[in-house]
Each structure stands twice: as C-alpha cells, then as structure tokens.
Amino acid sequence: MAYLGIDVGTAGTKALLVDGAGKALGRGYREYPLSFPREGWVEQNAEDWWGAVIGSVRDAVRTVGGGAVEAISLSTQGATMLAVDGANGPLCPAMTWMDRRAERECGELVGAVGEEEVYRVSGWPASPVQDAAKVAWLRRNEPELFRGAAAFVSTVEYVNHKLVGRHYIDPTNAAMRQMADVRTGAWDAGILGFLGIGEDRLPEIVPSGAPIGTLTGSAASALGLPKSVRVYCGAHDQYCAAMGCGLSEEGEVLAATGTTWVILAMADSLRYTKTRLAPGVFPLSGKYGVMASLVSAGSALKWWRGVTGCSYAEMDEAAASRMGSASGLLVAPYLAGAGIGHPEGAKAVMRGMTLGHDRHDVALAIMEGVAFEARLILEEYVREGIAPDRLIVSGGAAGSRLWRGILGAVTGLAVEVAAGGGAAGGGAAGGGERPGMGVTPDGADRREAAHSGVLPDEAGCLGAAMMAAVGEGAYAGLGECSRMMVGGREAEPPDGARRAFYEDKYGRYLRFLKDHVDRQ
C-alpha cells in the first residue's frame, strides 16, 4: 500500500508517495508564478494549482503505477482566497496570503467586531492578509462578483473539490481564514454577520484526517489514479510539516523554512498572548500549536538571488567564509513586511555597506538577519512560558549547513533536521546535503533523488501522507505513525566560537532595529 501527500504551496506543488514505513517511492514537483498587478496586490491563478497537482502526482506515481495508491491527503498554503461559481470555477484571481489590498476593510472588521474578539475567535490578529478582510474587499470593490459567488474558498477547499467534488476545510486552515472559531471549530456568526454572508457560501469544516470521499471520475483520469482512491482532509502546510518532522512534545520547536519562515511550538492548550502569537488546534489529538511568521525570510534570499544571478549553492559556499568581512553589515530583511514586535509597515534596511563588501557578504547578512528575527520570536515564546530546548528545521534552509549553523549559533539551540523513515545516511540533512535554501528542484531532479528517502523540504508532504495512512487504518493514530515514518533526527549543537560572535552581533542588531527600523 502507498499513500500520497500533496503539498500545494506558494511557489509550487510537491507530491510525495510513501509506503507504510514512510519510505519515498516517488515524488514530483511543479512551479507556478505569482502576479503583482498593483502595489500591495499578490495574486495567483487557482487553475495553476490543479495543473501542478496533476503534473506532480503523475511524476510521483510514474515508477510504481497509480494502482498502488490507496489514499491521498493535502498540505496547503493558508489564507489565499478566491470566489468560485457553483462548479468550483474561479471568478477572480486568488488573493494570496501576501496580498495586503484589504487594509481599509481590516480596520472596519476591527471596528465592528473588536480587535481582541477577532484574535480570540480565530487565533490570529486581525490582518488584511486574512480572508475575512478580503471577502469584505470583494463586497465593496466587486459587488456583482460578490453577489454572484457561490462560495468563498481557499487553497485546500479548491483542491479538495477538484478531488472529490465538494468543498471541505480543516480547522487549521479555517482558523487562518479569520472567519472560524478556533475554540469550537465552527464558522463564527459575528464575523459572518459583518461580512454579510452565510455558512452556505463557505466549506464544511471537518477534522484533519477525516475521510471526505473518493476521487471523482475526472480527477482519477487527470491524475492517473483509480477512482477508488480515498481522500482525507489535510491541514495547513506548517502543521503538516510539524508532523512530518516528528514534532510531538513540548520543548520541540519547528522552523519551517520556505518563502515565509514559520516558527511553530507545541503547547498543552490554546495559548493567547499579548503579542498575538497564533494558537491553533494541532492534528495530534489533545495537542495545540503556537505559531508566528517571518514573512520576509526565504523570500528575501530569493530576491537577492534574482538580483545577483547567483545560485543558492554558490551563495551557500561563498558566504560561509564571509563571517569576518560581513561582521559590520546588518540587514533587517523586511522586503515583504515584518513580523511580531515591529511596526506594521516596516521596510527592509541595510547598514554598514562599504566598497569592500560584495554580493556574498550581503547574502550572509540576509541569512543572519532572518536568524536574528527567529531568535526574537523564540524569546517571545520564552516570555509566554513556552521554553524551546531544540529547533527542528524543515524546508529549503534545512539543506544549507551554513544557515543551520547560523540558526544554532544565534539561538543557542541544538538544530535538528528530520529524516524520513526511508532516508539513507550521508550528511546532516538525512539522505545527503542539498544546496537549495529556498527553492525546490524540478521534477526530474526530485525523481533522481528518490533513493535518498524523504527530503527535508518534503516534511509537509510526509505529514499529509501520514494522515492518509492513519485514515486507512495502517496505524492506530498519528503519534504511532510519526514514530514509524519519521526517522531519527541528527542534532547539531551550536558552535561555541560562532555562538560568542553572534551574541555580540545580535546585540548590535537590536540597537540597529531601535535606531533604524522601529522608528519607521
């Protein structure tokens, strides 16, 4: 039996086929673009998601054949919203989680419902990037589209409908839409009243791992799979990544490193904080998560790659020797906005640049700036009584020994990279060192890597596949499945000399923020 985890992300879609022990049997990947039609607008074509699902799944099952697949589950980006007609056809471009056009509507939501109430209901601070404000934006700016829309959906519901013919969403993604109550798992009447919509225009909320049907005939034909394949409701990509890394105990903290970095800690209850850390229901029974985002993280280094024309591998290798030459260079990497503790409109700032610096010094300073921001979040967790003792890294930066070392030195925590159950040895990343730090290999490269087990940037796929396996009865629960599918994690303790260097530089970074960023 084989289980398929599909991760529909911001930059592309990955598909990972694993057996009952978590060994990778096949994988696929397809990218798609973002568009920026106006300042503050960041859109995607929802049909690109489905095309990428088809291509990545067909690649993943090519070796073993579609008949081997028993079940599917999804890991998806959250808070990317669009309106659809009765047949799930997009009526507008998808407004991604980076889209900030609904600033005015967010303020109106806060005025009508209350800032604290919005946070208590959804677990997320009121924001123009969440779906509630975007629905209100459509009502004001596209009234005919708003009235004619059969449903307002996000990524997970759109793809689930493609698979089984109905809209379904899980609690982690529903809360992020800022229209559902994280405490009850139901749509919130107060917020829906402000928006002027009913539950009939929203998907059904079902638990992560719940069965939602079998493939429709058209989906089976497109994917090259039998119609008998069962589909289970998945979860937000960061919660899936946490499961795919084996996160199961308090003290373990996930750093999911992609376009945005997400810091996710385990807790024993919903934890509301003064700084608006985001609590959520973890797919593991009786567990909860606490999440914070570094919006400008992988995206900042990707931007620098585009500016310089360097590959990630070249930057990784060259920047490793620049700790001394870049010691006076400080970068606040807010190219797409700042996280908690900073002004809403904070912009990126660089200080200390001289003629003696080059592109690799700047690359290192960007990596350091992201690590400093991760430490700021971890310190906030400590103040709230959530004490991390180790950092588990997934995603692109997991393949960079340099960035992992910087994270360990800056935070003082042992850094671990999860290895999948089928991972062969060789390298700290479990299955060999990979050069990518925020970008994913193309489909051919991923198929060639299949012998090495589950890759660090496939943790979301593995978490989704685990829910499919548990749904099929292969394991009694996600805890047991995690112990079997997630291989051992290799810990890298922080380097003492580098730790002292970065303790000093972190202090300078804090003063730099006070002088040049927090006054913006």
Side-chain angles (χ1 to χ4, degrees):
M1 295 186 290
Y3 311 100
L4 191 59
I6 304 170
D7 182 8
V8 187
T10 306
T13 289
K14 306 182 191 80
L16 177 70
L17 186 68
V18 300
D19 66 12
K23 178 181 178 181
L25 302 176
R27 50 173 51 85
Y29 178 72
R30 290 290 189 279
E31 288 188 354
Y32 31 73
L34 293 164
S35 61
F36 310 89
R38 300 185 190 178
E39 184 177 358
W41 294 28
V42 187
E43 298 179 343
Q44 284 184 322
N45 181 350
E47 293 177 348
D48 289 345
W49 300 336
W50 181 238
V53 169
I54 292 170
S56 60
V57 167
R58 283 188 168 272
D59 282 347
V61 304
R62 184 168 296 161
T63 301
V64 301
V69 179
E70 295 288 329
I72 294 173
S73 189
L74 298 178
S75 160
T76 62
Q77 59 173 309
T80 291
M81 193 278 295
L82 72 154
V84 296
D85 62 23
N88 199 39
L91 298 176
C92 61
M95 293 181 273
T96 75
W97 54 268
M98 294 179 283
D99 191 300
R100 305 191 63 85
R101 75 183 70 179
E103 296 273 4
R104 175 181 176 183
E105 290 74 20
C106 179
E108 292 171 348
L109 171 64
V110 168
V113 179
E115 184 174 3
E116 181 67 16
E117 179 66 9
V118 171
Y119 174 55
R120 290 281 165 178
V121 167
S122 68
W124 291 86
S127 170
V129 307
Q130 313 298 109
D131 287 11
K134 294 171 185 170
V135 172
W137 186 94
L138 284 177
R139 182 181 60 187
R140 168 176 280 124
N141 295 279
E142 299 283 353
E144 291 186 14
L145 186 154
F146 175 83
R147 288 191 296 269
F152 302 96
V153 303
S154 64
T155 310
V156 65
E157 305 103 285
Y158 179 82
V159 179
N160 274 335
H161 193 289
K162 287 287 189 180
L163 295 172
V164 302
R166 283 192 63 188
H167 291 129
Y168 291 98
I169 192 171
D170 64 278
T172 60
N173 275 300
M176 187 171 286
R177 300 198 66 189
Q178 206 139 67
M179 294 182 281
D181 193 323
V182 69
R183 300 161 296 188
T184 65
W187 298 112
D188 181 72
I191 293 177
L192 296 194
F194 163 77
L195 296 174
I197 62 174
E199 292 187 20
D200 60 321
R201 301 174 81 185
L202 293 171
E204 182 179 352
I205 303 173
V206 299
S208 293
I212 59 174
T214 56
L215 293 179
T216 66
S218 59
S221 177
L223 299 172
L225 302 176
K227 290 196 294 183
S228 60
V229 170
R230 284 170 289 278
V231 181
Y232 293 86
C233 196
H236 181 255
D237 52 13
Q238 305 306 346
Y239 280 91
C240 284
M243 289 187 295
C245 288
L247 199 75
S248 60
E249 300 177 3
E250 292 184 51
E252 296 177 332
V253 177
L254 173 70
T257 64
T259 305
T260 286
W261 283 24
V262 171
I263 310 297
L264 194 158
M266 298 289 292
D268 56 3
S269 62
L270 289 173
R271 303 289 287 270
Y272 296 95
T273 69
K274 293 179 181 179
T275 54
R276 302 292 196 264
L277 294 173
V281 178
F282 202 85
L284 277 170
S285 178
K287 299 290 186 179
Y288 299 86
V290 184
M291 189 186 298
S293 298
L294 297 175
V295 178
S296 301
S299 58
L301 197 64
K302 184 176 182 180
W303 167 80
W304 189 241
R305 182 191 67 161
V307 169
T308 63
C310 292
S311 68
Y312 287 115
E314 181 183 354
M315 283 194 290
D316 206 29
E317 181 178 359
S321 63
R322 303 307 175 93
M323 196 170 75
S325 62
S327 62
L329 194 58
L330 296 166
V331 174
Y334 312 140
L335 279 86
I340 63 168
H342 300 306
E344 179 74 17
K347 300 294 191 297
V349 181
M350 180 164 59
R351 188 176 78 177
M353 187 72 167
T354 71
L355 290 172
H357 290 118
D358 66 8
R359 56 190 176 176
H360 302 305
D361 293 306
V362 177
L364 179 64
I366 291 172
M367 290 186 233
E368 292 171 343
V370 174
F372 293 149
E373 291 295 317
R375 176 169 168 175
L376 283 170
I377 289 176
L378 292 171
E379 289 175 345
E380 187 63 28
Y381 281 8
V382 172
R383 284 191 288 271
E384 295 294 341
I386 303 169
D389 55 33
R390 53 199 177 280
L391 195 61
I392 304 167
V393 181
S394 71
S400 168
R401 188 178 296 277
L402 172 61
W403 217 346
R404 296 198 313 266
I406 292 171
L407 267 175
V410 167
T411 63
L413 299 175
V415 173
E416 302 176 353
V417 177
E433 192 72 18
R434 296 175 62 237
M437 295 188 290
V439 84
T440 310
D442 64 23
D445 290 339
R446 301 191 72 82
R447 289 193 300 275
E448 290 171 4
H451 69 279
S452 64
V454 177
L455 303 173
D457 65 353
E458 293 172 331
C461 290
L462 182 59
M466 288 164 58
M467 284 187 281
V470 171
E472 288 293 285
Y475 294 96
L478 284 168
E480 179 189 354
C481 184
S482 177
R483 289 189 292 273
M484 293 300 296
M485 281 196 176
V486 181
R489 298 192 299 255
E490 298 189 34
E492 301 174 40
D495 176 84
R498 192 155 52 169
R499 176 89 177 102
F501 172 86
Y502 279 119
E503 191 66 24
D504 173 74
K505 192 164 185 177
Y506 180 64
R508 289 188 280 124
Y509 184 78
L510 294 180
R511 294 190 292 274
F512 161 58
L513 294 185
K514 183 177 180 180
D515 293 341
H516 297 280
V517 175
D518 293 343
R519 294 180 181 178
Q520 290 183 20

